C-alpha cells in the first residue's frame, strides 16, 4: 500500500473516534504551520529530497510528511507523483507563492494565510487582491432565468417552451 493511501485511510477514517480524529487534525495543523513558517522564510528556495529526508528535516513523521505533500501538491510549480510515492521517492517543495496563498484561503486555513511571513512576500494590497481572487474562484454565477414564453436563446425565433424548453 502506498504512503498516500495509508495517510488518507488514517486521516479520513470513518471508524476512528471523533475526538481522536479532532486531536489528530489539531496536531497535524500545528505541525503543518511549523513547516510553512520555515518554507516561507525563504520562498525562492526550491527545497527537494526524498520523502524520508524531508520528514527528518522538518521533524515530522513519514505519515505527517505525506499529508503535507498531499496538501501542498496543488500549489507546486511541478506537482509531485504523490499517488505512487514511497519513502525513497524524490519530491520537490518548489511552490508558486500566489497559488499557495490562494489555496490556503480556499481551504479556509486562516492559521496559514495569516502567517507573518506572508507580509515579507506580499504587501497588504496584494494579499487582499489574492484573497478576493481566491474567494471568487468557487463562486457560481447563474445567468438570468429564461421564462417559458421568452424567445428561445438558441436563436430559432420560437418561444422557449416550444423549442429548447421541452
Amino acid at each position: 500500500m502506498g504512503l498516500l493511501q495509508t495517510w488518507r485511510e488514517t486521516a479520513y477514517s470513518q471508524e476512528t473516534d471523533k475526538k481522536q480524529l479532532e486531536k489528530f487534525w489539531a496536531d497535524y495543523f500545528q505541525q503543518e504551520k511549523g513547516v510553512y513558517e520555515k518554507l516561507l522564510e525563504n520562498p525562492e528556495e526550491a527545497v527537494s529530497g526524498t520523502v524520508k529526508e524531508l520528514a527528518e528535516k522538518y521533524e515530522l513523521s513519514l505519515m505527517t510528511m505525506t499529508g503535507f505533500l498531499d496538501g501542498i501538491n496543488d500549489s507546486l510549480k511541478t506537482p509531485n507523483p504523490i499517488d505512487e510515492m514511497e519513502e525513497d521517492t524524490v519530491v520537490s517543495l518548489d511552490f508558486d507563492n500566489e497559488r499557495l496563498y490562494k489555496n490556503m484561503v480556499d481551504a479556509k486555513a486562516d492559521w496559514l494565510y495569516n502567517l507573518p511571513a506572508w507580509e515579507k512576500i506580499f504587501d497588504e494590497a496584494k494579499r487582499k487582491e489574492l484573497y478576493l481572487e481566491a474567494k471568487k474562484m468557487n463562486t457560481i454565477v447563474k445567468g438570468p432565468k429564461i421564462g417559458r414564453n421568452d424567445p428561445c436563446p438558441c436563436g430559432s425565433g420560437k418561444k422557449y417552451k416550444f423549442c429548447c424548453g421541452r
Side-chain angles (χ1 to χ4, degrees):
M1 183 181 328
L3 288 175
L4 185 65
Q5 187 177 352
T6 305
W7 160 258
R8 288 183 175 166
E9 285 177 5
T10 304
Y12 305 108
S13 173
Q14 298 298 319
E15 288 90 43
T16 307
D17 178 56
K18 189 175 180 182
K19 292 263 188 227
Q20 284 180 312
L21 212 50
E22 285 175 7
K23 183 181 179 342
F24 170 84
W25 280 108
D27 293 344
Y28 171 78
F29 291 144
Q30 195 61 39
Q31 292 175 333
E32 177 188 43
K33 181 180 175 184
V35 175
Y36 277 117
E37 285 171 338
K38 291 175 186 171
L39 284 174
L40 293 173
E41 285 174 10
N42 190 1
E44 302 309 316
E45 180 186 358
V47 177
S48 65
T50 65
V51 177
K52 187 175 183 176
E53 289 169 351
L54 292 177
E56 290 169 1
K57 178 178 180 172
Y58 293 107
E59 300 172 5
L60 301 174
S61 70
L62 205 55
M63 278 299 104
T64 304
M65 189 69 216
T66 303
F68 181 83
L69 290 167
D70 185 24
I72 198 173
N73 209 44
D74 290 339
S75 303
L76 299 176
K77 293 176 182 171
T78 306
N80 290 314
I82 60 171
D83 291 326
E84 57 268 352
M85 186 170 60
E86 295 298 331
E87 67 180 58
D88 58 346
T89 304
V90 176
V91 292
S92 169
L93 297 179
D94 188 17
F95 56 90
D96 177 280
N97 293 341
E98 290 188 11
R99 197 175 326 152
L100 179 62
Y101 189 84
K102 287 181 194 177
N103 286 340
M104 287 176 171
V105 171
D106 190 41
K108 298 176 179 66
D110 59 338
W111 64 94
L112 296 177
Y113 67 80
N114 286 327
L115 286 171
W118 284 114
E119 294 169 12
K120 295 176 187 154
I121 299 169
F122 300 124
D123 62 18
E124 188 175 346
K126 182 67 173 176
R127 287 194 314 274
K128 190 172 186 174
E129 175 190 327
L130 293 171
Y131 181 88
L132 292 174
E133 282 180 33
K135 288 295 187 184
K136 287 179 185 174
M137 284 190 324
N138 292 326
T139 303
I140 299 169
V141 179
K142 291 185 179 181
K145 187 173 183 203
I146 303 165
R148 42 187 271 109
N149 289 316
D150 292 340
C152 191
C154 75
S156 67
K158 297 179 182 179
K159 288 185 176 183
Y160 179 69
K161 66 182 177 185
F162 292 121
C163 189
C164 295
R166 289 187 157 192

